[in-house]
Amino acid sequence: MFHGLLKPATVSEAGYRLYSNFEVDRLQQILFFRELEFPLQVIAELVNSPEFDDLSAFEGHRELLLKKQQRIAEVLETLDKTIEAKRGGTSMTNGEKFTGLKKSLLEDNEHHYGEEIREKYGDELVDASNAKVMGLSEESFAEMQAVEQKIFETLKRAANNHTVESEDAKELVALHKSWLSYTWPQYTADAHKGLGEMYVADERFASYYNQHAPGAAEFLRASIVRWAE
């Protein structure tokens, strides 16, 4: 199940694997990391690092699991209201549904990318950005999604041309800047370029854009470096 991650301390003459306290503690760490959806390769790198500290890791697990618990509780609350409304009970307004949707999206984003984003930009900026998202009207939210789709279309076309000097690449960056303006409290070219670097450095961000064209994340980063101002 955890091949290469957990090895027995010894093997008895009868062929049974025997585990010491160290291996049991290691198994706990692995299970907590898996509950938080860490890939096995990442878990191996973490637990095998010379700097790995059991107590700090357990404290980190607890903090992340509490956030996950809160996120699930809020999603369940929205779901319960929706079920009640469908059954003919207390009606749920479109505004409540929309607020629940935004909260769910933010919580999902926090769960998957929160640690990296907060480390790069700081809690104050991330919290301000989240507050701006929660303040978006349904019309503005729909506009933001439309801009994102336009980004994907332009990115696919521009990446296939393989040149950041094209008008498509310039338009791509302008669209991306416009998309960011819906959630960023304030825009700076340096922050935009930093985000572009993250798109390439983090496999999760890279795959999000590379699904639209081979090398799309790298092309977007290069275009941002060229045209962000």
Side-chain angles (χ1 to χ4, degrees):
M1 182 178 181
F2 301 119
H3 180 68
L5 273 176
L6 188 68
K7 297 180 180 179
T10 59
V11 179
S12 71
E13 293 182 0
Y16 294 107
R17 298 178 179 184
L18 304 178
Y19 294 94
S20 68
N21 287 340
F22 174 82
E23 282 77 31
V24 173
D25 287 345
R26 175 60 55 88
L27 176 59
Q28 270 195 309
Q29 291 286 4
I30 295 169
L31 291 174
F32 283 130
F33 275 121
R34 289 300 291 157
E35 178 62 31
L36 292 164
E37 301 177 21
F38 279 66
L40 288 177
Q41 181 179 351
V42 174
I43 297 174
E45 293 173 358
L46 290 171
V47 299
N48 291 323
S49 169
E51 290 79 29
F52 184 77
D53 178 72
D54 265 347
L55 178 57
S56 295
F58 283 133
E59 291 173 340
H61 295 324
R62 187 177 191 281
E63 182 179 351
L64 290 173
L65 285 169
L66 283 172
K67 289 181 179 179
K68 183 177 181 179
Q69 182 185 45
Q70 180 181 359
R71 179 174 65 88
I72 292 174
E74 291 174 345
V75 171
L76 282 171
E77 182 182 359
T78 301
L79 179 59
D80 287 342
K81 288 181 178 178
T82 303
I83 292 173
E84 185 178 359
K86 292 294 184 181
R87 286 176 173 171
T90 304
S91 61
M92 188 177 186
T93 67
N94 288 336
E96 287 178 318
K97 293 178 184 178
F98 182 56
T99 297
L101 169 64
K102 290 187 292 185
K103 288 176 65 175
S104 179
L105 289 174
L106 287 179
E107 288 156 5
D108 186 65
N109 189 65
E110 183 75 30
H111 175 63
H112 288 96
Y113 312 112
E115 183 177 354
E116 294 82 355
I117 295 294
R118 289 181 180 277
E119 182 178 346
K120 187 173 185 62
Y121 293 105
D123 289 339
E124 184 177 352
L125 182 61
V126 174
D127 290 341
S129 176
N130 289 346
K132 190 170 182 180
V133 171
M134 289 304 299
L136 287 175
S137 66
E138 292 184 52
E139 181 180 2
S140 295
F141 190 79
E143 290 173 355
M144 182 178 71
Q145 291 181 306
V147 171
E148 184 176 36
Q149 289 305 310
K150 184 67 174 177
I151 287 172
F152 295 149
E153 295 168 6
T154 307
L155 176 60
K156 183 176 182 179
R157 184 172 64 248
N160 287 333
N161 291 333
H162 304 295
T163 173
V164 298
E165 296 299 328
S166 67
E167 285 299 315
D168 280 337
K170 185 176 182 179
E171 180 187 359
L172 172 65
V173 177
L175 285 167
H176 201 260
K177 177 181 177 180
S178 175
W179 179 66
L180 292 174
S181 71
Y182 286 95
T183 58
W184 280 16
Q186 60 183 22
Y187 173 88
T188 68
D190 286 341
H192 197 175
K193 292 174 183 178
L195 188 62
E197 294 296 337
M198 185 180 291
Y199 288 164
V200 174
D202 192 306
E203 290 184 4
R204 294 167 300 175
F205 288 106
S207 63
Y208 182 70
Y209 288 102
N210 287 340
Q211 64 180 313
H212 299 284
E218 175 62 38
F219 184 87
L220 176 57
R221 182 202 66 83
S223 297
I224 293 171
V225 170
R226 171 64 179 88
W227 296 107
E229 57 184 14

